[in-house]
Amino acid sequence: MIGNLSLPEPFSVQELCTHLAQERGRPLHLLPLPTPTVPGTPSGMWLTAEYGDYIFFDEQTSPLHQEHIIVHEIGHMVCDHRSASDDQRLYRHIDLADPHSIRQALPRLHYSDEQEREAEMIASLILEAIGRVPAPTPMSGLLGGLESAMGLRGARPAGTSCLRG
C-alpha cells in the first residue's frame, strides 16, 4: 500500500491530501474535530460523504500527533476500509452542509480490530519513511526501553550482543 503512495517532498499532510483528492477524483477536506477529545471519544475520523471525504482530527494535541491521526485516517482510505456500523451519534455535531449525504464514518477509537491495526501500521510506516519517527531497531521495544531506563542506550552499537566478554 505504501509503495503505491506518492509521498510529497518535502512532506506535508496537506500536500498528501491534495494528491489523494486528485487521485480519487473527489475533494478531501481536513477539519478539526468540533471539541477537544477526551477518553472514549475519537481523536480522528474519516467520513465518506456523497461528494467528498472528510478527515477530522484533534487539533488540541501536538503537531506530530495531529499528523499521525491524519495519516492513520489516510491509511483507512487507501485500504478502502468500511465502517462496521452506521452510528449517527458519532457525527451529529459535525457541521456539514448535508449531513444526510454521509455514507460511512470510521472513528479512531481503539486498535482492537484488524482495520485499525492496518491503518495504524500504515501511519507508522509513512511517518517512518518521511523521517518523523525513527525506524525500529533490534533493540527497540521492551528491551530497548529497559536499556534506556538503565542509562545504557547508546552504550553499544545496535545489533551487538548484550553479554560482555
Side-chain angles (χ1 to χ4, degrees), residues 7 27 54 89 95 107 113 115 126 130 151 156 159:
L7 300 177
Y54 298 84
R89 292 173 298 151
D95 186 22
D113 69 26
Q115 287 189 144
I126 288 173
I130 63 169
R156 61 183 168 71

Side-chain angles (χ1 to χ4, degrees), residues 41-58:
T41 62
S43 60
M45 186 180 343
W46 167 42
L47 289 180
T48 301
E50 191 171 341
Y51 300 109
D53 293 297
Y54 298 84
I55 291 178
F56 292 89
F57 62 95
D58 181 355

Side-chain angles (χ1 to χ4, degrees), residues 82-98:
R82 299 288 172 213
S83 59
S85 67
D86 186 22
D87 187 351
Q88 293 286 328
R89 292 173 298 151
L90 290 173
Y91 44 84
R92 68 179 174 208
H93 299 294
I94 294 173
D95 186 22
L96 296 178
D98 183 10

Side-chain angles (χ1 to χ4, degrees), residues 44-76:
M45 186 180 343
W46 167 42
L47 289 180
T48 301
E50 191 171 341
Y51 300 109
D53 293 297
Y54 298 84
I55 291 178
F56 292 89
F57 62 95
D58 181 355
E59 76 174 345
Q60 303 297 315
T61 189
S62 71
L64 178 60
H65 190 214
Q66 289 176 32
E67 194 171 60
H68 188 97
I69 292 166
I70 294 165
V71 177
H72 173 100
E73 300 307 326
I74 288 171
H76 284 302

Side-chain angles (χ1 to χ4, degrees), residues 105-159:
L106 277 171
R108 184 177 205 253
L109 287 168
H110 51 77
Y111 306 101
S112 61
D113 69 26
E114 188 174 334
Q115 287 189 144
E116 288 301 316
R117 286 190 301 270
E118 195 170 56
E120 190 65 13
M121 179 60 72
I122 287 173
S124 296
L125 290 172
I126 288 173
L127 293 175
E128 179 185 312
I130 63 169
R132 295 287 199 277
V133 295
T137 68
M139 291 306 298
S140 59
L142 178 61
L143 188 55
L146 289 171
E147 183 181 51
S148 179
M150 293 169 42
L152 300 174
R153 178 71 82 195
R156 61 183 168 71

Side-chain angles (χ1 to χ4, degrees), residues 21-48:
Q22 291 169 348
E23 213 172 74
R24 293 167 56 86
R26 48 191 285 120
L28 173 54
H29 307 279
L30 290 178
L31 299 169
L33 285 164
T35 58
T37 61
V38 294
T41 62
S43 60
M45 186 180 343
W46 167 42
L47 289 180
T48 301

